[in-house]
Amino acid sequence: MLYKIMSRETLVPNNHLFKVEAPAVARKARAGQFVVIMIDEKGERIPLTIADWDREEGSITIVFMEVGVTTRKLAQLKAGDSIANFIGPLGEPSHIEKFGTVVCVGGGVGVAPIFPIARALKEAGNKIISIIGARSKDLLFWEDRVREVSDSLTVTTDDGSYGRKALVTEPLKELLEGAEKIDRVVAIGPAIMMKFCAKTTEPFAVPTIVSLNPIMVDGTGMCGCCRVEVGGETKFTCVDGPDFDGHLVDWDLLFARQRIYIDEEKHAMECACGEVASHG
Amino acid sequence: MAKVDLNRVSMPKQEPEVRAGNFNEVALGYNAEQALYEANRCIQCPKKLCVGGCPVDVDIPDFINAIREGDMPEAVRILKGKNSLPGICGRVCPQETQCEEVCSLGKKGAPIAIGRLERYVADWELAQGEMEKPQIAKATGKRVAVIGSGPAGLTAAADLAKMGHQVTLFEALHVAGGVLMYGIPEFRLPKRVVQTEVDYVKSMGVDLRLDFVVGKTMTIDEILKDGYDAVFMGTGAGLPMFLNIPGENFNGIYSANEFLTRTNLMKAYLFPEYDTPIKRGRRVMVIGGGNVAMDSARCALRLGADEVYIVYRRSEVELPARREEVENAQEEGIIFKFLTNPKRFIGNDQGWVVGAECYEMELGEPDESGRRRPITKEGSEFMLDVDTVVIALGTTPNPLVPTTTKGLDVTKRGTVVADEKEGKTTKPGVWAGGDVVTGAATVISAMGAGKRAAASIDEYLGQQGG
């Protein structure tokens, strides 16, 4: 079966949005879940978080950053092209209920998956305070969409080219120190950002949920490639997560396991670039 | 009558030093002359004990007789009358504990090489390029969902389709075949053979839906509501077991499922032509003594390892792997460390495994499995320097389907409760069979369960009326 790319856009350099025709996935998708995709029969299976869905249209929206061979190949595809395999929705949906006031933090490409979670939490009656950050203005996207589902929004950039010059943890800390009671924090972004968000909230004992992004193969609990340690216990991110208690995650283990194939990736990129050069 | 040769025709194989460096099939298969000679050893005894030894009741003496008479199309017809996957079974069934174990010739000499002849027949048909279409009964108008396209699911789907039911076969992965694709390596079961037999099942009108994770994309309850009259669960035992010892999550430590999935299903041995990478360890330790451990060790060797150890806590006689696979591994230079059990893994500052501290073991009284229980020798710890570890301790059923299905009872071991004869579960309209019921077992026992469940489902659907 082929999954058609209904539309695509480059949100910011290296970050792309694809709307993919996948009615069976769209029917069941919920905030916090992911899909596993494979571009063609020689491709790798990679997980991508679901950024949005349209059940009537039968579409799933994914947003991804070009980081390796597979995401680079994916970025080459055009509207009307197809992806060979598109599997989901996988993982447990985010826990949605009325907690009170929830701070939603999205960093970099993590702004995309934080959006449906913020929206679901908002619909469940929570007050949503969002913080989104990027390295600089030209890498920031979906400010409008996140604003729409938030009671308030703070935008940060590392270089100060837009919004506040800060890391997302700074406004987060101020909120925790402020007068308003914060009942929950959800943080999605690069692993290092999630780690520091969790470290920021820990002294305040505010429950902090992070969405982990280790390497996966099948995404259904079969291989254990995505194992992480949470509270001293081994968990499979694909079936036990991807959402976990950020205060209990062994971050160093996650960082190490994310780097397992760094040499192979480099080698594959060189080969792929060589191919482009020889054909171009 | 000429005297029967008590020795079987040996299987031509790739030489150990050659095959250790490639992923091509080890056993090359009989040629026509060898097959005829072996078929002629069959005394066509009236007892037909072999048929009783086969979990799917293949009419063994009849197909052997067809080979003798040179009527290969008939041999195919007889074989496929009972078994839709002969190319697979001829290669991976443990015939030595089934049909061949009870062969009358076995009392005096070597039993007939039934598996090798079965493979010969299947390969003959494959070489003809065209498969004869099976007889399909008149359409019943009943719809059956088969979940999982491994040996149990493929068999159930094929039998149900032949009975005239409309079958949808749901598969979570991107190709059909289950463990036949992700688990068993190319050098033991070429993927071309699996896909040919999958195509044969599809040719019966079975609708294969890939990328469909039952329990996530749709639950069994939703499938039943969607108009299916019955469901067969053949979801296997896909969840890997770990040792739960310190250091198990260091980089370079794989479950056998991951190691084999990357290697076989994703073809990591062809990286970077294929995009999925795998670590090519120099010193590899495989923990476990079953067929999966043998497969993992032999894959590691073919990926270029200098030394591959199989670490097993019991002794050689207790190895659960097929004898043939143990011999193949030994010939290829796999080093067996019996009566050894890891205590913990040691990692470097980058989080990579660099070694395993192991205990020496000794054997005590037999345990509930009937095998002598391994006991740790205190103070016997020693270090084994390794850069890759594969944990092949076995698997349990994936809870994804059971936990999302109302009214489906599971045991403490996570297996689905189903009656052994027919595969009926505690949920009306739902059958189960194969590893999901028994825990990890063999391809052929899963096929037997798929076959029995198909017959039971057919009977149930007949009672439902039109």
Side-chain angles (χ1 to χ4, degrees):
Chain A
M1 186 165 165
L2 291 171
Y3 303 84
K4 201 170 111 193
I5 300 163
M6 300 164 82
S7 64
R8 61 151 295 160
E9 82 185 91
T10 296
L11 294 171
V12 294
N14 283 333
N15 287 250
H16 311 278
L17 176 151
F18 278 19
K19 204 199 262 187
V20 180
E21 191 173 54
V25 185
R27 215 159 27 233
K28 295 299 280 290
R30 283 162 69 189
Q33 291 186 295
F34 63 94
V35 291
V36 163
I37 70 143
M38 198 169 147
I39 298 176
D40 54 40
E41 66 169 312
K42 291 187 177 177
E44 187 178 9
R45 291 172 67 104
I46 63 159
L48 292 170
T49 315
I50 294 172
D52 206 355
W53 56 88
D54 185 327
R55 300 200 208 284
E56 274 175 37
E57 190 181 61
S59 70
I60 292 284
T61 300
I62 49 172
V63 174
F64 62 94
M65 180 163 60
E66 287 180 55
V67 286
V69 168
T70 300
T71 44
R72 281 205 179 177
K73 283 186 185 168
L74 194 59
Q76 305 292 316
L77 299 180
K78 301 176 192 67
D81 289 347
S82 293
I83 297 171
N85 306 94
F86 195 90
I87 302 125
L90 300 173
E92 287 296 312
S94 294
H95 181 179
I96 304 294
E97 65 170 67
K98 189 172 176 186
F99 297 104
T101 301
V102 182
V103 179
C104 292
V105 188
V109 73
V111 171
I114 203 78
F115 163 72
I117 296 173
R119 180 175 62 189
L121 285 165
K122 177 77 182 164
E123 281 166 5
N126 293 284
K127 178 178 176 187
I128 305 295
I129 302 175
S130 293
I131 303 168
I132 59 172
R135 284 211 310 276
S136 65
K137 186 185 176 192
D138 62 339
L139 293 174
L140 186 78
F141 62 85
W142 280 20
E143 179 188 352
D144 51 338
R145 295 195 78 176
V146 176
R147 189 182 301 282
E148 235 171 74
V149 298
S150 307
D151 293 272
S152 75
L153 172 69
T154 302
V155 179
T156 68
T157 50
D158 295 7
D159 64 0
S161 52
Y162 185 73
R164 184 172 158 184
K165 182 181 190 307
L167 299 173
V168 289
T169 45
E170 288 175 46
L172 176 62
K173 185 155 185 262
E174 289 162 17
L175 281 167
L176 294 159
E177 287 167 341
E180 186 167 2
K181 182 171 172 281
I182 307 297
D183 298 291
R184 195 176 179 87
V185 172
V186 183
I188 306 183
I192 189 80
M193 181 211 96
M194 294 193 280
K195 173 184 170 173
F196 281 103
C197 285
K199 293 279 168 231
T200 304
T201 61
E202 204 167 9
F204 300 91
V206 176
T208 300
I209 303 303
V210 292
S211 178
L212 301 185
N213 49 352
I215 302 168
M216 290 186 188
V217 184
D218 65 290
T220 63
M222 200 182 94
C223 78
C225 175
C226 65
R227 57 200 197 275
V228 291
E229 279 177 37
V230 182
E233 266 181 63
T234 295
K235 299 278 183 194
F236 287 8
T237 305
C238 66
V239 286
D240 300 321
D243 287 4
F244 290 105
D245 180 341
H247 296 150
L248 299 179
V249 170
D250 181 336
W251 294 100
D252 291 339
L253 178 71
L254 177 70
F255 299 149
R257 290 192 62 85
Q258 284 180 331
R259 294 175 57 84
I260 293 177
Y261 295 107
I262 207 128
D263 295 339
E264 286 77 6
E265 268 292 326
K266 217 181 282 166
H267 176 58
M269 290 286 253
E270 282 160 14
C271 291
C273 290
E275 237 169 68
V276 171
S278 64
H279 292 294
Chain B
M1 191 179 141
K3 202 165 166 237
V4 176
D5 187 343
L6 292 177
N7 295 308
R8 49 169 57 183
V9 178
S10 61
M11 177 59 112
K13 283 186 198 175
Q14 279 197 73
E15 289 302 319
E17 54 276 18
V18 175
R19 69 190 194 228
N22 70 53
F23 273 84
N24 300 334
E25 193 168 16
V26 169
L28 301 170
Y30 283 162
N31 61 26
E33 194 189 335
Q34 289 164 325
L36 185 62
Y37 189 89
E38 184 64 25
N40 275 323
R41 290 180 62 231
C42 178
I43 56 170
Q44 294 280 317
C45 62
K47 288 191 222 156
K48 300 189 180 186
L49 294 171
C50 50
V51 180
C54 174
V56 296
D57 307 322
V58 168
D59 301 316
I60 294 165
D62 294 359
F63 95 75
I64 292 180
N65 197 45
I67 298 175
R68 291 217 284 226
E69 290 174 358
D71 190 351
M72 289 305 291
E74 180 62 11
V76 172
R77 239 169 272 136
I78 295 166
L79 195 48
K80 283 193 159 176
K82 291 286 168 61
N83 182 352
S84 301
L85 316 172
I88 294 165
C89 289
R91 287 171 168 85
V92 302
C93 267
Q95 291 95 8
E96 64 279 9
T97 61
Q98 301 183 19
C99 51
E100 293 177 10
E101 187 178 38
V102 292
C103 172
S104 298
L105 269 186
K107 292 191 190 84
K108 287 192 176 158
I112 292 287
I114 299 167
R116 295 170 185 177
L117 290 175
E118 179 181 29
R119 171 184 165 169
Y120 173 73
V121 174
D123 287 1
W124 176 87
E125 192 193 22
L126 187 58
Q128 306 311 302
E130 214 169 306
M131 297 252 169
E132 195 173 310
K133 283 254 166 66
Q135 288 270 322
I136 306 281
K138 194 169 143 275
T140 61
K142 300 288 184 187
R143 295 173 75 204
V144 185
V146 174
I147 302 162
S149 65
L154 283 173
T155 304
D159 279 17
L160 287 161
K162 279 193 226 168
M163 293 161 180
H165 307 300
Q166 195 186 328
V167 180
T168 310
L169 181 56
F170 294 97
E171 168 55 50
L173 287 169
H174 56 276
V175 290
V179 71
L180 306 169
M181 289 302 288
Y182 74 74
I184 303 176
E186 176 77 18
F187 56 80
R188 209 149 72 75
L189 178 63
K191 302 310 142 203
R192 183 180 56 95
V193 173
V194 180
Q195 288 313 307
T196 304
E197 300 199 338
V198 167
D199 287 344
Y200 176 68
V201 174
K202 281 162 68 179
S203 76
M204 301 176 196
V206 170
D207 178 25
L208 174 63
R209 290 209 53 189
L210 301 172
D211 302 338
F212 199 103
V213 186
V214 173
K216 288 288 178 190
T217 314
M218 235 174 151
T219 63
I220 284 190
D221 290 290
E222 288 165 334
I223 286 172
L224 283 167
K225 243 180 259 162
D226 206 37
Y228 285 91
D229 301 293
V231 173
F232 173 75
M233 275 179 72
T235 46
L239 206 68
M241 291 203 267
F242 283 91
L243 287 152
N244 297 315
I245 61 173
E248 203 164 20
N249 294 331
F250 282 129
N251 287 358
I253 303 183
Y254 291 91
S255 72
N257 264 7
E258 182 186 356
F259 192 74
L260 293 174
T261 298
R262 284 184 180 274
T263 309
N264 303 321
L265 180 71
M266 307 309 295
K267 299 210 179 335
Y269 63 92
L270 298 174
F271 177 86
E273 185 199 341
Y274 282 72
D275 291 337
T276 303
I278 193 160
K279 277 290 162 194
R280 292 173 175 255
R282 313 300 313 175
R283 293 172 59 85
V284 182
M285 170 180 179
V286 177
I287 302 161
N291 289 324
V292 173
M294 303 304 135
D295 286 345
S296 301
R298 297 171 72 198
C299 280
L301 192 72
R302 285 159 173 77
L303 287 165
D306 298 326
E307 281 186 357
V308 182
Y309 299 100
I310 284 186
V311 168
Y312 180 54
R313 61 189 184 140
R314 291 182 160 105
S315 69
E316 184 162 7
V317 290
E318 287 90 12
L319 276 175
R322 286 184 74 186
R323 191 67 231 160
E324 185 184 328
E325 300 309 325
V326 175
E327 281 164 13
N328 279 332
Q330 282 168 336
E331 277 174 21
E332 289 167 15
I334 306 287
I335 304 157
F336 284 77
K337 288 205 163 292
F338 296 112
L339 295 165
T340 304
N341 206 23
K343 178 185 180 186
R344 66 184 177 116
F345 298 105
I346 317 293
N348 65 16
D349 57 357
Q350 304 289 307
W352 283 90
V353 68
V354 293
E357 191 180 358
C358 298
Y359 282 118
E360 287 177 22
M361 310 293 283
E362 56 196 348
L363 293 179
E365 294 300 307
D367 61 13
E368 64 274 13
S369 76
R371 295 174 302 177
R372 293 179 66 192
R373 193 168 64 88
I375 302 166
T376 303
K377 274 198 216 170
E378 289 305 331
S380 66
E381 291 95 325
F382 67 98
M383 279 293 295
L384 205 55
D385 294 338
V386 291
D387 58 16
T388 305
V389 175
V390 180
I391 299 170
L393 296 174
T395 51
T396 57
N398 193 324
L400 212 54
V401 180
T403 54
T404 53
T405 309
K406 283 191 205 100
L408 189 75
D409 286 358
V410 292
T411 65
K412 267 187 229 147
R413 289 161 51 226
T415 51
V416 169
V417 176
D419 80 87
E420 210 180 305
K421 244 172 96 191
E422 296 178 81
K424 277 185 186 149
T425 69
T426 53
K427 188 179 175 72
V430 179
W431 280 253
D435 285 3
V436 73
V437 172
T438 56
T442 62
V443 167
I444 190 69
S445 66
M447 289 176 58
K451 201 167 197 59
R452 291 191 299 275
S456 174
I457 291 170
D458 183 56
E459 192 191 332
Y460 165 84
L461 294 176
Q463 288 159 1
Q464 300 270 298

